[in-house]
Each structure stands twice: as C-alpha cells, then as structure tokens.
Amino acid sequence: MSAPARTPAGAPGSLTGPGSSGGVGTDAARPDGTLKVRGEFAYGSDLWMEDMLWGTTLRSPHPYARIRSIDVGPALAVPGVRAVLTSDDVPGAKVYGLELADQPVLAVDVVRYQGEPVALVAADHPETARLAAARIVVDYEVWEPVTDARTALGHPRWNQVHDGTAQVTELSRESAHLHPEGNLVRHLKVRRGDPAPTADVVVVGEYEVGMQDQAFLGPESGLAVPAEDGGVELYVATQWLHVDQRQICAALGLAPEQVRLTLAGVGGAFGGREDLSMHVHACLLALRTGRPVKMSYNREESFFGHVHRHPATMRYEHGATRDGDLVYVRAAIYFDGGAYASSTPAVVGNGGTMGIGPYVVPNVHVDCFGAYTNNPPCGAMRGFGSVQTAFAYESQMDALAAELGMDPVELRCRNAMEQGSEAITGQVVDSPAPVVELLRRLEAMPLPEPAPDDLRHRPGGVSNTTHGEGVRRGVGYAVAYKNVGFSEGFDDYSTARVRLEVVGGEPTVTVHTAAAEVGQGLVTVEQQIARTELGVDRVVVAPKDTAVGSAGSTSASRQTYVTGGAVKAACEAVRARVLERAAGVTGRPAAQLRLFDGAVVGEGLELPLAEVLGDDAVEETLEWRHRPTEAIDPETGQGFAHVQYAFSAHRAVVDVDTELGLIKVVEMACTQDVGKAINPQAVVGQIQGGTAQGLGLAVMEEILIRDGRVQNPSFTDYLIPTILDMPPMRIEILEYADPHAPYGLRGVGEAPNISSGPAVLAAIRAATGLPLTRVPVRPEHITGV
Amino acid sequence: MRLTCTVNGSAQQVDDVWEGESLLYVLRERMGLPGSKNACEQGECGSCTVYLDGVPVCSCLVAAGQAEGRAIGTVEGMGSEETLHPVQQAFLDAGAVQCGFCTPGLLVATDDLVTRSLAAGAPPADAEIREALAGNLCRCTGYEKILDAVKLAAQRMAAPTTGAPR
Ligand code: FES
Ligand code: FES
C-alpha cells in the first residue's frame, strides 16, 4: 500500500456565485450552488495535501470498563505508521465538553460508552492506520453498564399508566455514580398555580421516544496542518468554529492565536457537529508528526463519533373541564444523556420549559431530568428537547379530545397560546403566536384523494404485500413551538465584518463571519442582507474562519436571526460612513441620501460609489446580540427564558396496512409562521427537510441499543426516509413580523421537525384505533405480534 | 497493481493501487476527482454513483480492478465551467441542493433516468422518478425539490431548443 497521490484539493475559498442577485425576500441563488453541482465544493472529507497522513481512532468495544493497560507497541511496529497516541499524550486538559467539561479527549482509565475513543494512529494510508489501530492491545476490566435513565437516578420505573408520578424517595438509590457528582445532569422544575389541582376529566399517558441519529451524509472529517509558530490550522466540517477552538486550545494547551480554524464544506449537521469529533485528535497527530493529518470517519464510525438525540420516557397527566378547558398538566420527563453531558443541560431546559406545548394552562407541575448512563452520549439534534415532548403532549391532547368527545383541532384551538398569553415560565408571549390560524389553515386544505389502484401507492409498495384489504386511512394533526436562539441568560451574539470597496470598477461587498454554513443557505442570506442594506449586487462571502469573532452556533434556528442581525448591523454602520462621505462630497445632508444600485442617490442625484470611495475601502466589524434572556428560577422554572418562539403545525394523512403493520404516509401538510421569509425557496426547503426527519423518527429511525451496545450502526440497519417514503407536501407560510427581530424574521429550521412526527403518529392512531405510545412505530406495534 | 481506464473521456493510469481499494477510493484519492461522495461506502446511499460503461453503479461497491479498461463517467464530466448540464442547472433552479453531499450521485442517477425515459418517448412520471432514485439518500431536502428538479430537467432535455440556439 503506497500513499495515495493526486492533485491537491484546496481549502474552501470565497464564494460569490454566478452573478446572482437578489435582496431580502427573494429566491436568491446559492453562491456555492455551482461548485456543489460540479463536484468541486471541498467538503471536509475532500481535503487533501501533499505529504498528508491519515488518522484513525481506536474505540472501546465495551460500554463500561476500566482500562488496566494499553500496549501500543504492535501498532508502532506496522510499516507506514507515524504515530500512536493515548491520553498520556494529551498535553492540556484531558476532558472537554460544550457545557460541562466531562468527556475525555482519549479515555482516561475508564470507558463509559461503547465507541469511546481510546487511542489514535497516523499512517501513510488509511488502511494501514486501521490495521495498526486493531493491533493496539487494550486490557479491559469489563463492568456492568447502567442503561436506563431512571435506574441511573434511582427513580422508580413505571410499568403501567396508573403508577404514581415518579418521585425521588428516601428508599430509591442511585446506580453507582458514573461521574463523581452523581448521575443527575440536570433537574428542571416548573411550578405554577395550584399544586394539587383537580379537574372533571383526566387523562394519563406514558410515552417513549427512541434514540434518533442526525445521519448527516457528509462524514465527520477535517485536515489539521501543523504551523511554523508551533500552532495548528484546522480545516473542519463543524457547526461552531469558536466553541471548537476554545475546547481544542484547552486540550492542546495552546493559545487561541495558535489554533486557527477554517470551515470545510459541511455535508449536513442537524446538531450532530456541535460537539467535537475528530478535531482535537487530528491536531494532536499533526503536532506529533509535524505533517498534515486528515481524519474522515466511515459511516459506522460516524454512528459512534457524534452525539444523538436523547431518548426520552415521559409521563403526562392532563386535567380539563367538561368544556375542554385545560386545568392542569403534570409531567415527568426523563432524557437519557448517555455517558457524557454534551448539551444535556440545555436540552432539559427546552424539554421542561416548553414541555406542554403551545397551550395556556393555569396549573403546571413539570419535572424534567437529564441523566448519565452508559448509553452513547446524547446532545444536540434539530428540535433539541422539544421533539420528544411534542410526541407526548400532542398524544395527550388527542387522548383528551377523545375522552371529551371533542374534535382534536377544536380542543387545540380552544387552549392555544396567542400573543399576550403567558407561557408556563410566566413569560408573556410578546410577538405573534398564530397557533389557531396555523391549525385552521391546515383544516381548510383539501384532503388527498383515496389511493389509486396502483400498488406503488399502497403500504409495502412494490413489495406487493397487499391488494388494499386491511388498509385504513387516518388523519392526524400536531402543533409545535420551539425557542429560537440560546436561552436562559446565555450571552448569544454574532460578529460580522463587512467591507465595501470598488474592485475592478465594480462596487463589491465582502461579508466575513464565522457562522457555519451547513447546507441551510446562510451564505445566501448573508449576501441578500448585504445587497438590501448596501444596494450593491456583488457580494463576496469570505471563508468562514476564526480570523473574525464568534458567530455562535449554527443551531437553535438562530443564524439567520443572530448572524443575519450582525451582518445587517455591520452593513448599517458601513452605510452610515459612506453616506457621511457622500454628504461631504455633495454638500447634501446624509439623511437625504441612500444607497441604491451601486450609487449614492438623493433627490435628482446619482453618484456612483466609485466616485465616492475611490480606492478606499469602508469596513466595519461589530458584535450584535438579541435582547437578553434570563436564567429561570431553580425551584419554579419562572423567568424570561427565551428570546423568540417559532410555531408550526402539520396535518398528516397515512394509509396503514393493519394486517402487516406497514405504513404509507400519503401526504404531509405544513403551516408555519416565519415572520419574514428572507429566502422563500430556502424556507420551504427547511420545512420539507425538517418534515422528513420528523416523519423518520415517527416510523423508522432508531438507534437500537442493547446493554449499552449499538445494534445498527449502518445505513443498512438504521433507516432514514428515502424518496419513496416521502409523500407530496402542501406548505403555507405565514409572515407575521416579530417586532423584536431583524426584518421581523423567525428562526425556521427546527419547528417543522417537531410537529411532523406527532402528526404522523396521530394519523396512525386514527387509522388503527391503537393507543401507540412509542416512536418509532414498528409493524409489531400495529399487528400486536 | 496498475489500473488503466477512461474517466470522463480521458485515459487514466494509476500505479500502486492496493487490491482492497474501491473505484470510489481510486477516483477520490488517486485521480483527484473527489466529486463522487462517500457517505456510507456500503452501497446504501448512492452518493458515490458514477457511470461504468454507461450504467450507473455505486462506485464504493466496485473494486478498483473491475474498472480495468472500462469507461467511467463522474459528476466532474457533466457540463462545463461555462455551461452547466441541464440536470445540474435544474437542481440549482429547483432549490434541490442544500448541503449538496447527495447531489453528485443524484445528478448521475437523474441523468440516466431522464435520458432513458426520453429515449423511450416520454418524461418520467412521479412514481418512476421515486423508484429510480430510491437508492439515493438525501438528509436535507425531504426530496420534494429533487422531484421538481428531475421534472424540470426532463422538460428542458425534451425541448433542447429552449436552450442556446443551435
Ligand atoms: S458511498 Fe457508495 S452507496 Fe454510499
Ligand atoms: S442536500 Fe444534504 S444530503 Fe441532500
């Protein structure tokens, strides 16, 4: 095996796009589109340098074990191997983490989940590296894993619906601590109104949501290049360059100036790239060998290499009057955080503070727990804590409607939040909350025709499993709300640098931010905002890197809001300076001038920017923050926790083969309030993609874990929706401006991922008459065998 | 081992190929053609789809040696810098590209489908498109705009006179 040789594939460059144009509110073309369809866009896995080595990771086969010893000798003896590293070779902090630093860079004495990184190898050829890693001898003392969140916390397990609400009792005993502080990551309480309310009608339900994977197609990958100053350059597919940089610096014991990150092309993220994967590992190997090191996971390793969506078990009790007014909700929500904290505290925050859905309820008692177990670590995934609870609260609304003999949409509308309502945190909803309109618009949409007599339209499709007998149709509704941006007092800001100059006679804007483009189209949005604010068509998006300040994470549906806000503010600052200059030239007050079509214009005046600017560039860099939120009260969960909410609703129509348990989703309809659609085509794309991921969780997607071990780490066994599984969609977008947000916009990406799955589940229940309290729904849940 | 084949119309020869390497690996790592993607390397996602003697295959499942003496077509061979292939243009116009990792494989699969359908006399129907692309996973788009893109491409390829005058 010799080293691969080929022409280098460069690091990502600036993006301009094919002379596209279009400001805010248009379907402007993506500046990276042409590169992507030509196969020239450099994803992390495409990076290549002369002389580079390939890194690989040895991972623990056990969910819980003590490491007695590691012998790297046999690996070092393999020809072509350049370095083998263990935790002893980590020069700085041995542990890292987004919120709590508790996760080892490489296992230190104990492994707490199957797949935990134990050692690293760099070699000339990836196969050599893999072979060598397999020769490392690790002696494990295997321990019994803790695999259930309630057991980990010593809380009673529920066996049936009428067990009491979970309580921490004197008698219950936590499992042996996986971490020194115990197995509780966070317990969030919401207490509101009467602590012992009673109601005419009560429904109780227990629900379970399986572990979902982000399943982005582009594997975790990047290239680390040692630098002459003793530092390192890292090109990596990630979601938040600066939070990576902070953690990498700590692990390497280097200063921020010495660890420079540039975003490589990202093949989807969905939360799964918020935590570190190969980042520190590649840097360690590069610094040790003095050569560029590339790491790129294969699909199996990817399943072990990033956090997943928290599985949840939930018990809800809803009380209502006979007329259908909600009186109280009690909920106990358990998130299995797996072996390390990742973003579990924030997931618990979202799950708890929005855990009853967009409804107004006077009396609320919520306990939301995040626990450590020996399952794979769980953290961010699109919908972040709200996806799980939505399955429970929307199932409860349907159960309550059935108990009351009411139409489920009617019951929702009767209790829906609106502008001016108080959320369960006591926070007043101070921008439009058109929950009723979202539902009514769905109801008004025509229903699809009965399935044509064509087996491709039946459950089972061309497998030819049914001729239509036993097939029942069902319709279900669900509604979602989700916080946008980081909450609970987090200093949530973004930085933008905007430069206006004349290049080759053409006015040109350069926008530089560190905000990760992961496929959603933020680079397009940045261009659109600059065009609108500066009246200049040609906008260059500089490579995303740490040479400019933090943009915060590409998560929580926040980048268009926060980085969009920063770009807008920086453009405004540039504009003010340019107009000041123009005022000096023309003698007109700046207030009477504006920028339009590459010129300064005013009453009877059109002065090309080239004449105003000459050879000068006007540049402004600034940080922009949304209005502050605050921490919630630890005993009552009350406080101004969230800056904005996103609302969406879905109607699902399904056909179910009740004999075989096969499901065909016939149509998905979605309504969403986006405040202002900055790029309508991209907004629709987010709704369609989010809908697909929610549908996937409802009917097929689950990482199966047995005794802490992943059973299906491949696309053969972990199924995501294909084009055959996705039905046609009807989408209506509402634009009720949020007065607090730039252009009135609302974050878009997550809400549709939250309401789609519960709507599908409701439709399956409607078709089958079965209670169905667990997702994904499997054929045996329907057939009962 | 030495591998000799034609890629996008030009003769290619690479040396020192290890027997275990896939065609995908050789294209990406030895020929400098990383356009074909590697989302699973197990034949499940279609992101590595290339033409092998005119037939779309998952190049991750083809051993490099099997490509000896054969003609390979990849996304890099579609269209040109100045003029995109109609399938490429349709994917952009329909908004079918988000992260784009699925795109190269889908472009090849779509080109094959549309070309075959038009040769048989009609653009592909929705159900045919879904069946033909069922092996190409996309995690970002929910497939609606991919379906739109295929239909748009078929329409444009059926009426090439709407393009540049010939
Ligand atoms: S990489 Fe070949 S099918 Fe997925
Ligand atoms: S666009 Fe991201 S996988 Fe298809």
Side-chain angles (χ1 to χ4, degrees), chain A residues 2 4-6 36-37 43 45-46 125 127 213-214 217 299 456 681 689 693 701 716 721 723 726, chain B residues 16 18 21 25 28 30 32 37 39 44 75 88 93 98-100 107 130-131 137 139-141 143-144:
Chain A
S2 76
R6 71 159 206 229
K36 285 179 173 178
V37 297
Y43 296 89
S45 46
D46 299 334
H125 190 287
E127 204 51 44
D213 188 60
Q214 295 84 353
L217 288 202
R299 183 52 50 184
R456 291 179 297 193
Q681 187 183 59
Q693 290 179 4
E701 292 187 37
T716 315
I723 197 169
M726 286 310 298
Chain B
D16 294 332
W18 170 58
E21 287 174 12
Y25 183 90
R28 289 176 52 80
R30 295 189 182 277
K37 295 298 171 228
E44 293 290 346
V75 67
Q88 292 172 316
D93 294 345
Q98 288 190 29
C99 85
L107 295 175
R130 289 185 190 277
E131 243 170 90
L137 297 178
R139 189 54 158 170
C140 301
T141 65
Y143 303 103
E144 277 281 271

Side-chain angles (χ1 to χ4, degrees), chain B residues 71-118:
Chain B
I72 295 141
T74 73
V75 67
E76 286 97 339
M78 295 177 82
S80 66
E81 194 89 53
E82 303 73 41
T83 321
L84 294 178
H85 187 283
V87 174
Q88 292 172 316
Q89 192 61 51
F91 268 65
L92 289 183
D93 294 345
V97 179
Q98 288 190 29
C99 85
F101 210 81
C102 63
T103 305
L106 273 161
L107 295 175
V108 173
T110 300
D111 180 55
D112 173 63
L113 168 69
V114 172
T115 310
R116 275 191 293 114
S117 300
L118 293 179

Side-chain angles (χ1 to χ4, degrees), chain A residues 42-48 54-55 59 216-224 234-239 241 244 261-268 272-273 275-280 282 293-299 301-302 305-306, chain B residues 28-29 37-38 41 101:
Chain A
Y43 296 89
S45 46
D46 299 334
L47 300 178
W48 193 94
W54 291 80
R59 295 173 180 275
F216 41 72
L217 288 202
E220 289 88 342
S221 48
L223 177 71
L234 178 66
Y235 300 85
V236 65
T238 192
Q239 283 178 234
L241 291 166
D244 294 348
L261 274 71
T262 302
L263 187 71
V266 184
R273 300 187 205 263
D275 292 76
L276 298 181
S277 58
M278 44 57 65
H279 308 52
V280 179
V293 173
K294 172 167 167 171
M295 293 185 82
S296 184
Y297 294 172
N298 64 20
R299 183 52 50 184
E301 184 168 21
S302 179
H306 62 256
Chain B
R28 289 176 52 80
E29 307 301 339
K37 295 298 171 228
N38 54 344
E41 296 172 84
F101 210 81

Side-chain angles (χ1 to χ4, degrees), chain B residues 24 37-49 58-61 135:
Chain B
L24 176 66
K37 295 298 171 228
N38 54 344
C40 77
E41 296 172 84
Q42 288 183 314
E44 293 290 346
C45 76
S47 72
C48 62
T49 306
C58 289
S59 60
C60 69
L61 293 184

